[in-house]
Amino acid sequence: MPHDLFDPPALDPSTLRIIPLGGVGEIGRNMTAYEFGGKLLIIDAGVLFPEETQPGVDLILPDFGPIRDRLDDVVAVVLTHGHEDHIGAVPYLLRMRQDIPIIGSTLTLALIEAKLKEHRIQPYTHTVKEGQVEQLGPFALEFIAVNHSIPDALAIVVSTPAGTVLHTGDFKMDQLPLDDRITDLRAVARWGEKGVDLVLSDSTNADVPGFTALERDIGPVLENVIARARRRVIVASFSSHVHRVQQVLDAAHANGRKVALMGRSMVRNMTIAADLGFLKVPEGILIDHKKAATLPDDQIVYMSTGSQGEPMAVLARMANLEHQIEIGEGDTVILASSLIPGNENAVYRVINGLMKLGAKVVHKGTARVHVSGHASAGELLYFYNVLRPKNVMPVHGEQRHLVANAELAIATGVPEQNVLLADNGSVVDLRDGVARVVGQLDIGFVYVDGSTVGAITDADLKDRRILAEEGFISIFVAVDAQTGRAVVGPEIHARGFAPDEAVFDEVKPQIVAALAEAAANGTRDQHAFSQVVRRVVGRWVNTQHRRRPMIVPVVIEA
Amino acid sequence: MPHDLFDPPALDPSTLRIIPLGGVGEIGRNMTAYEFGGKLLIIDAGVLFPEETQPGVDLILPDFGPIRDRLDDVVAVVLTHGHEDHIGAVPYLLRMRQDIPIIGSTLTLALIEAKLKEHRIQPYTHTVKEGQVEQLGPFALEFIAVNHSIPDALAIVVSTPAGTVLHTGDFKMDQLPLDDRITDLRAVARWGEKGVDLVLSDSTNADVPGFTALERDIGPVLENVIARARRRVIVASFSSHVHRVQQVLDAAHANGRKVALMGRSMVRNMTIAADLGFLKVPEGILIDHKKAATLPDDQIVYMSTGSQGEPMAVLARMANLEHQIEIGEGDTVILASSLIPGNENAVYRVINGLMKLGAKVVHKGTARVHVSGHASAGELLYFYNVLRPKNVMPVHGEQRHLVANAELAIATGVPEQNVLLADNGSVVDLRDGVARVVGQLDIGFVYVDGSTVGAITDADLKDRRILAEEGFISIFVAVDAQTGRAVVGPEIHARGFAPDEAVFDEVKPQIVAALAEAAANGTRDQHAFSQVVRRVVGRWVNTQHRRRPMIVPVVIEA
């Protein structure tokens, strides 16, 4: 349901222009372009993970279209934090111009550098931290500490002569966080008093009433579950959730258990986090999985990936007995993670599989073993009341989240006409304290599939969905163009359609007859003969089998 | 994760044997066979709706395998209630033997008769009601009223000389139901005092703590939402949920609005329910949608299907502006239904679409506009404490639900060894008050696709999943078998793979060369040539594109 497209006016020199290239109307591929005085500033460049209607797609990128021809004007890409939906598209952006400066906090840069190394890209980076001020071309930036489900996250104040914008990035307001690094409401208040013209704010949990529970309420629950576990404990969570892993390390330590990290991304990220001091590893607690296999069952915790039911991740392979760790009676599995909508079937399949093997499974639905990293409605109200922004643009959410966030802003007194329900590609101009949508660009999905970027189109995905639902029938026939006589074939093959290709013997004579008849009626060219074959087979399969497979006729002239 | 298969012993004449043919380890296709004295009794015959891993499948049936050769021994199919997951497979069963007596309550039989009429089957039916006793061969049945999300539901006591079983069907224990027909705990208590050897009990909400809220708490919420609606109101719910529709009719009536029923199944089921007196229609409130279009927006409620995001149902078409009712600013849409796991993406897509059109959307997550039809943990504890069964077999649930239900039974004092965690195809023998799993049959998925039943196999679905993820490449080539020379072709076509078939020009010479080389090395037959083509194309696509499409080579001899 894209908005109607319309061209924005030429950009006035005294106006700040903001265009989200992804992340508005969806959760993922966050990327926003700020333009002033002929220069561009990019905040975040993340990926979106495909839905079941986008089969075979590996990743979805923001649409670089609106900035593609202006990469030399980009002064920097600033990253708010190290999650994939904020940094995952950076390698694809740098493929187009490798020397765009990448700015972010210590942990964020360490994570993007590790990722870029896999892509064999060595970036130009610049480390910043909360409180720091940077001037990038016409953009004056100040960084504000925010609390999220990964350490070292930042909100960014973007000041220009046209006005000041606060870009929150992802945040919540845990008042007693594990690392004591709270979202800096004093800085928000100070900026509020100076006057913030526009805020782009995280909408993920805007439709969740109340307050996101404290991270530190989880530790005792984990400790208790592990204390009561009879045999092995397997904890699955997100591979970048340093605080959750910290809690598991601490809970294991308190119970005299060792911890083995499982899964490539878990090992990589936690090594980085430990090296930089974000993860405090109790002396001697980490062991590798080979060593773990030699310990008694009640002295080990495996910390793994796969909490979203991903079929190739450690946890799903355990549930299918396809992993070296064979789950059995008495083992305890903890899913210390949220359940991302769309993953329910996959996750419950894993849970059911583990339970059939005899494991006890503890998850968010049965115990408080996870809390979200995003601010709920109650926190957003605090935030708006402290900031008192002139204009609000909800981002980082589906329409239902954006609307909920908009309602909160309005409830705190932001005038309704100053709350912008935008979309990817909406062109928002800020001038004299007023933000308005002045254009709507066409923003598409850019699919990464194998080594291709942007090659797979929505039409290909439609074909794939048809293939998935109905399979296909391919018909090869070589004809004498004069007589329509089938010289070779019809050869008919099908997949995903029926187990027995003998059914096609019925339709072959119909194809032969139709081709001859078409030739008698003057048909001569390959394409027209193909259409004849398509029609005959389509009608037959529909009436005889009530099915609509993809029909792929190949007619060549003999 | 099927259990290991093992054959049951020959059935002893003094033993009652129970085999679930569907519905255990899954929610759907409920069907249980009871065998005693050479006769079979079937309780329910429902369908299961496919998951995203079963693309293109219309329905999944129970596996009739274990009773297929013994249909003449079936004394009756008894239906607990009229939901699809309990009655949907009856037409397929009756195709094998049309005169199996169908037994059920008034509404249940009316619904199955309407369904069978569409299949052009006229069944042999026999109406029963709560309190009634029936003798069917060696099976003495007594029916007990239960409360569920469809009226006129029954639990069934099956008594044989080998023992007594209570088969709950789907139930909850709303203590103030809209129709005053509560689950008859006095009957349950009476049977408990006589002694029930085994209960097969509904596990759907066994992992939900506490009690399912009262149906009558929903009416005022609906009434309030409708009272505050500025323009049209659209309510989506399940097409058989008579009580929910009743509440919508009453709430519309209280607000001076008319109601138009939308969707074929909604109209059909509510016509039946009204004719039989289960739905009380306020005088003159129902109008058709043509008439509705002529009324002012604030005088109409549309009652529709599509609450699960089904793409072809009324609600999804409204969200896509593909329906005659064009949703706009100020309209209110209420999803008065549960959100069945696996449907989240589809439902949220519809919600986001409606909100983009300007509608206000109210759903279970934002207001109490629906409650479940199944007993929560608290209710199941009451039930077990009143019944005090000797043995318990949780049914109607995935493994996680069955395990939760088992734990409740054990908590009320049922010995752990008497609580059976069974599977579809588990053979359970009851004798002398002891129920044990004595065998495990192989139970498969029986897929309905178009007009075929059981033709599509798991291997076909695997093909479909590969086609969905990767698309396919088909290669046709006619060769001279002696020289391996490509006389016609290679003709290469692909779908779901790449937008541009010109890429294949690169691999064609490789195919030609490989065929010639194979012939030079002595290859002569079609199959071996096909393998050569598959290998060449497979290697090329993997190295050049890092993809793994299905490769369909067709080599014929020229």
Side-chain angles (χ1 to χ4, degrees):
Chain A
M1 223 111 9
H3 290 188
D4 291 334
L5 303 181
F6 61 104
D7 287 330
L11 182 55
D12 186 282
S14 60
T15 300
L16 172 64
R17 177 163 285 181
I18 301 148
I19 310 178
L21 307 179
V24 181
E26 61 198 357
I27 294 188
R29 62 166 186 159
N30 297 283
M31 183 168 182
T32 309
Y34 287 80
E35 180 175 7
F36 183 82
K39 294 293 176 188
L40 292 167
L41 174 78
I42 308 292
I43 297 186
D44 290 333
V47 293
L48 171 67
F49 295 99
E51 294 190 356
E52 75 285 1
T53 54
Q54 297 156 324
V57 170
D58 299 327
L59 296 170
I60 303 170
L61 304 182
D63 191 338
F64 300 152
I67 61 163
R68 186 180 298 274
D69 297 330
R70 303 197 45 205
L71 291 177
D72 287 339
D73 297 332
V74 175
V75 296
V77 174
V78 187
L79 303 174
T80 56
H81 63 286
H83 278 153
E84 286 299 312
D85 60 332
H86 292 257
I87 70 169
V90 170
Y92 301 92
L93 187 64
L94 293 193
R95 279 191 202 175
M96 300 194 301
R97 184 190 144 199
Q98 205 196 316
D99 65 345
I100 301 175
I102 308 293
I103 295 175
S105 67
T106 304
L107 180 63
T108 305
L109 287 186
L111 291 171
I112 188 64
E113 281 170 359
K115 171 180 287 293
L116 287 168
K117 200 169 179 186
E118 291 174 2
H119 286 260
R120 297 180 194 185
I121 298 174
Q122 218 189 334
Y124 292 75
T125 57
H126 179 71
T127 309
V128 293
K129 61 179 186 194
E130 51 267 34
Q132 196 163 329
V133 174
E134 295 281 325
Q135 185 74 35
L136 290 157
F139 304 100
L141 307 188
E142 183 179 315
F143 300 93
I144 298 177
V146 290
N147 175 247
H148 183 42
S149 47
I150 189 168
D152 221 12
L154 296 168
I156 302 163
V157 180
V158 181
S159 299
T160 69
T164 297
V165 183
L166 174 54
H167 189 112
T168 68
D170 296 7
F171 78 107
K172 63 174 171 178
M173 302 213 286
D174 191 330
Q175 293 302 300
L176 298 168
L178 295 177
D179 60 2
D180 293 332
R181 185 173 176 274
I182 55 175
T183 292
D184 187 356
L185 272 183
R186 291 166 69 169
V188 173
R190 178 166 43 81
W191 275 104
E193 295 199 335
K194 280 198 224 178
V196 165
D197 297 297
L198 172 65
V199 60
L200 274 64
S201 73
D202 179 0
S203 309
T204 315
N205 278 350
D207 63 347
V208 177
F211 294 79
T212 303
L214 300 180
E215 287 281 343
R216 67 178 55 188
D217 289 348
I218 292 169
V221 179
L222 286 172
E223 206 173 305
N224 188 261
V225 172
I226 292 174
R228 290 190 301 167
R230 288 191 289 124
R231 297 188 53 207
R232 292 172 298 190
V233 174
I234 296 95
V235 186
S237 190
F238 299 112
S239 69
S240 61
H241 206 316
V242 178
H243 292 150
R244 192 71 65 253
V245 175
Q246 183 72 61
Q247 292 172 313
V248 173
L249 292 183
D250 295 345
H253 192 57
N255 284 285
R257 289 178 181 243
K258 303 286 186 190
V259 177
L261 302 176
M262 308 290 290
R264 204 175 56 92
S265 57
M266 179 66 75
V267 172
R268 187 192 71 182
N269 293 344
M270 290 310 135
T271 304
I272 291 171
D275 287 350
L276 295 173
F278 291 101
L279 184 71
K280 318 278 183 218
V281 183
E283 181 78 21
I285 198 171
L286 283 181
I287 56 175
D288 70 17
H289 65 91
K290 279 182 199 144
K291 170 81 178 163
T294 68
L295 290 183
D297 283 350
D298 61 357
Q299 291 180 22
I300 181 71
V301 172
Y302 293 98
M303 180 79 229
S304 87
T305 55
S307 65
Q308 297 304 308
E310 306 93 318
M312 300 310 296
V314 174
L315 200 66
R317 288 189 286 134
M318 284 180 185
N320 291 327
L321 286 179
E322 289 165 359
H323 193 274
Q324 59 202 14
I325 300 172
E326 283 192 20
I327 299 294
E329 200 68 49
D331 289 335
T332 301
V333 178
I334 305 172
L335 279 81
S337 57
S338 58
L339 177 41
I340 296 174
N343 296 343
E344 288 80 359
N345 280 348
V347 171
Y348 289 135
R349 229 179 334 249
V350 168
I351 292 176
N352 288 325
L354 293 166
M355 291 177 96
K356 274 204 179 177
L357 295 172
K360 177 178 170 180
V361 181
V362 178
H363 56 89
K364 209 186 164 192
T366 60
R368 179 160 281 175
V369 289
H370 183 71
V371 297
S372 171
H374 299 271
S376 298
E379 289 151 85
L380 289 170
L381 291 174
Y382 269 82
F383 174 74
Y384 287 130
N385 279 329
V386 171
L387 185 65
R388 296 213 171 272
K390 293 205 187 85
N391 300 271
V392 173
M393 176 171 159
V395 298
H396 206 284
E398 298 171 17
Q399 187 73 15
R400 61 200 173 100
H401 307 115
L402 306 179
V403 168
N405 197 355
E407 285 169 359
L408 295 172
I410 292 165
T412 63
V414 182
E416 191 166 347
Q417 69 273 21
N418 291 356
V419 178
L420 310 182
L421 280 172
D423 206 343
N424 290 330
S426 292
V427 180
V428 176
D429 278 0
L430 174 66
R431 188 184 170 175
D432 301 331
V434 178
R436 289 293 179 265
V437 175
V438 299
Q440 178 63 46
L441 310 180
D442 190 11
I443 291 285
F445 287 115
V446 179
Y447 300 113
V448 177
D449 190 354
S451 60
T452 66
V453 178
I456 289 293
T457 64
D458 285 314
D460 292 307
L461 294 185
K462 191 176 172 199
D463 276 355
R464 288 182 180 183
R465 290 194 297 269
I466 295 171
L467 288 169
E469 301 241 312
E470 301 280 357
F472 73 90
I473 300 177
S474 76
I475 310 101
F476 176 83
V477 57
V479 296
D480 177 323
Q482 293 306 312
T483 62
R485 190 170 66 86
V487 180
V488 180
E491 277 279 326
I492 307 186
H493 291 264
R495 289 298 181 89
F497 171 73
D500 183 6
E501 298 200 340
V503 296
F504 299 124
D505 289 344
E506 195 180 314
V507 74
K508 284 181 184 173
Q510 297 179 34
I511 298 171
V512 171
L515 287 169
E517 191 189 327
N521 291 335
T523 298
R524 288 292 175 270
D525 76 293
Q526 235 173 281
H527 178 72
F529 281 126
S530 292
Q531 292 303 96
V532 169
V533 173
R534 183 192 303 280
R535 218 157 34 229
V536 170
V537 177
R539 199 185 313 131
W540 171 78
V541 76
N542 191 9
T543 55
Q544 294 300 306
H545 298 273
R546 291 218 212 133
R547 301 263 296 280
R548 297 188 178 280
M550 182 178 289
I551 294 168
V552 187
V554 180
V555 178
I556 65 166
E557 290 180 27
Chain B
M1 223 112 9
H3 289 188
D4 292 334
L5 304 180
F6 61 104
D7 287 329
L11 181 55
D12 186 283
S14 60
T15 301
L16 172 63
R17 175 164 285 181
I18 301 148
I19 309 178
L21 306 179
V24 180
E26 61 198 359
I27 293 187
R29 64 165 185 160
N30 297 283
M31 183 168 182
T32 310
Y34 288 79
E35 180 175 8
F36 184 82
K39 294 293 178 189
L40 293 167
L41 175 78
I42 308 291
I43 297 187
D44 291 333
V47 292
L48 171 67
F49 295 99
E51 294 189 358
E52 76 284 2
T53 54
Q54 297 156 323
V57 170
D58 299 326
L59 297 171
I60 303 170
L61 304 183
D63 190 338
F64 299 153
I67 60 163
R68 187 179 297 274
D69 297 330
R70 303 198 43 204
L71 291 176
D72 287 339
D73 297 332
V74 175
V75 297
V77 173
V78 187
L79 303 174
T80 56
H81 63 286
H83 279 154
E84 287 297 313
D85 59 331
H86 292 257
I87 70 170
V90 169
Y92 301 92
L93 187 64
L94 293 193
R95 280 191 201 173
M96 301 194 300
R97 184 190 144 200
Q98 204 197 317
D99 65 345
I100 301 175
I102 308 292
I103 295 175
S105 67
T106 303
L107 180 63
T108 306
L109 287 184
L111 291 170
I112 188 64
E113 280 169 0
K115 171 179 286 293
L116 287 168
K117 201 169 177 184
E118 291 174 2
H119 284 260
R120 298 181 192 180
I121 297 173
Q122 217 189 335
Y124 292 75
T125 57
H126 179 70
T127 310
V128 293
K129 62 177 185 197
E130 51 266 35
Q132 195 164 328
V133 174
E134 294 281 324
Q135 185 74 35
L136 290 156
F139 305 99
L141 306 188
E142 183 178 315
F143 300 93
I144 298 176
V146 290
N147 175 246
H148 184 42
S149 48
I150 189 169
D152 222 12
L154 295 169
I156 303 163
V157 180
V158 181
S159 300
T160 68
T164 297
V165 182
L166 173 54
H167 189 112
T168 69
D170 296 6
F171 78 107
K172 63 174 170 177
M173 302 213 286
D174 191 330
Q175 293 302 300
L176 298 169
L178 296 176
D179 60 2
D180 294 331
R181 184 174 177 276
I182 55 174
T183 292
D184 187 355
L185 272 184
R186 291 167 69 170
V188 173
R190 179 165 42 77
W191 274 105
E193 296 198 334
K194 279 198 224 176
V196 165
D197 297 298
L198 172 66
V199 60
L200 274 63
S201 73
D202 180 359
S203 309
T204 314
N205 279 351
D207 62 349
V208 177
F211 294 79
T212 303
L214 299 180
E215 287 282 342
R216 67 178 54 186
D217 289 347
I218 291 170
V221 180
L222 286 172
E223 206 172 304
N224 189 261
V225 173
I226 293 175
R228 290 190 300 167
R230 288 190 289 125
R231 297 186 54 207
R232 293 170 299 188
V233 175
I234 296 96
V235 186
S237 191
F238 299 111
S239 70
S240 61
H241 206 316
V242 177
H243 293 150
R244 191 71 65 251
V245 175
Q246 183 73 60
Q247 290 172 313
V248 172
L249 293 182
D250 294 346
H253 192 58
N255 284 286
R257 288 178 182 244
K258 304 285 187 190
V259 177
L261 301 177
M262 308 291 289
R264 204 176 55 92
S265 57
M266 179 66 75
V267 172
R268 186 192 73 183
N269 292 344
M270 290 310 136
T271 305
I272 290 171
D275 287 350
L276 295 174
F278 291 100
L279 183 72
K280 318 278 183 218
V281 182
E283 181 79 21
I285 197 171
L286 284 180
I287 57 175
D288 71 17
H289 66 91
K290 281 183 198 143
K291 171 82 177 160
T294 68
L295 290 184
D297 282 350
D298 62 356
Q299 291 179 24
I300 180 72
V301 173
Y302 293 98
M303 180 79 228
S304 87
T305 55
S307 64
Q308 297 304 307
E310 306 92 317
M312 301 309 296
V314 172
L315 201 66
R317 288 190 284 133
M318 285 179 184
N320 290 328
L321 285 180
E322 289 165 359
H323 193 274
Q324 60 202 15
I325 300 172
E326 283 192 19
I327 298 295
E329 200 67 48
D331 289 334
T332 301
V333 179
I334 306 172
L335 279 81
S337 57
S338 57
L339 176 40
I340 295 173
N343 296 342
E344 288 81 0
N345 280 348
V347 170
Y348 289 134
R349 227 176 339 250
V350 168
I351 291 175
N352 288 325
L354 293 165
M355 290 177 96
K356 275 204 179 178
L357 295 172
K360 178 178 169 180
V361 181
V362 179
H363 55 90
K364 209 188 164 191
T366 60
R368 179 160 281 174
V369 289
H370 183 72
V371 296
S372 171
H374 299 271
S376 298
E379 291 152 84
L380 289 171
L381 291 174
Y382 269 83
F383 174 74
Y384 287 129
N385 280 328
V386 171
L387 185 64
R388 297 212 170 272
K390 292 204 188 85
N391 300 271
V392 173
M393 175 171 159
V395 297
H396 207 284
E398 298 171 15
Q399 188 74 13
R400 60 198 173 102
H401 306 116
L402 305 180
V403 168
N405 198 353
E407 286 169 359
L408 295 172
I410 292 166
T412 63
V414 181
E416 191 166 347
Q417 69 271 23
N418 291 355
V419 178
L420 311 182
L421 279 172
D423 205 343
N424 290 329
S426 292
V427 179
V428 175
D429 279 0
L430 174 66
R431 188 183 171 179
D432 301 331
V434 178
R436 288 293 177 267
V437 175
V438 299
Q440 178 62 48
L441 309 180
D442 189 12
I443 291 285
F445 286 116
V446 179
Y447 300 112
V448 177
D449 189 354
S451 60
T452 66
V453 179
I456 288 294
T457 64
D458 286 312
D460 292 307
L461 294 185
K462 191 176 172 198
D463 277 354
R464 288 182 179 182
R465 289 194 298 268
I466 294 171
L467 288 169
E469 301 240 313
E470 300 281 357
F472 74 90
I473 300 176
S474 76
I475 310 100
F476 175 84
V477 55
V479 296
D480 177 323
Q482 293 306 311
T483 63
R485 190 172 66 84
V487 181
V488 179
E491 277 279 325
I492 307 187
H493 291 264
R495 290 299 182 86
F497 172 72
D500 183 6
E501 298 200 340
V503 296
F504 300 123
D505 290 343
E506 195 180 315
V507 74
K508 283 181 185 172
Q510 298 179 34
I511 298 171
V512 170
L515 287 169
E517 189 190 328
N521 291 334
T523 298
R524 288 293 175 270
D525 76 294
Q526 234 171 281
H527 178 72
F529 281 125
S530 293
Q531 292 303 95
V532 168
V533 173
R534 182 192 305 279
R535 219 158 32 229
V536 170
V537 177
R539 199 183 314 131
W540 171 78
V541 76
N542 190 10
T543 55
Q544 294 301 306
H545 298 272
R546 287 214 217 137
R547 301 261 299 278
R548 297 188 178 281
M550 183 178 287
I551 295 169
V552 188
V554 180
V555 178
I556 65 166
E557 289 179 28

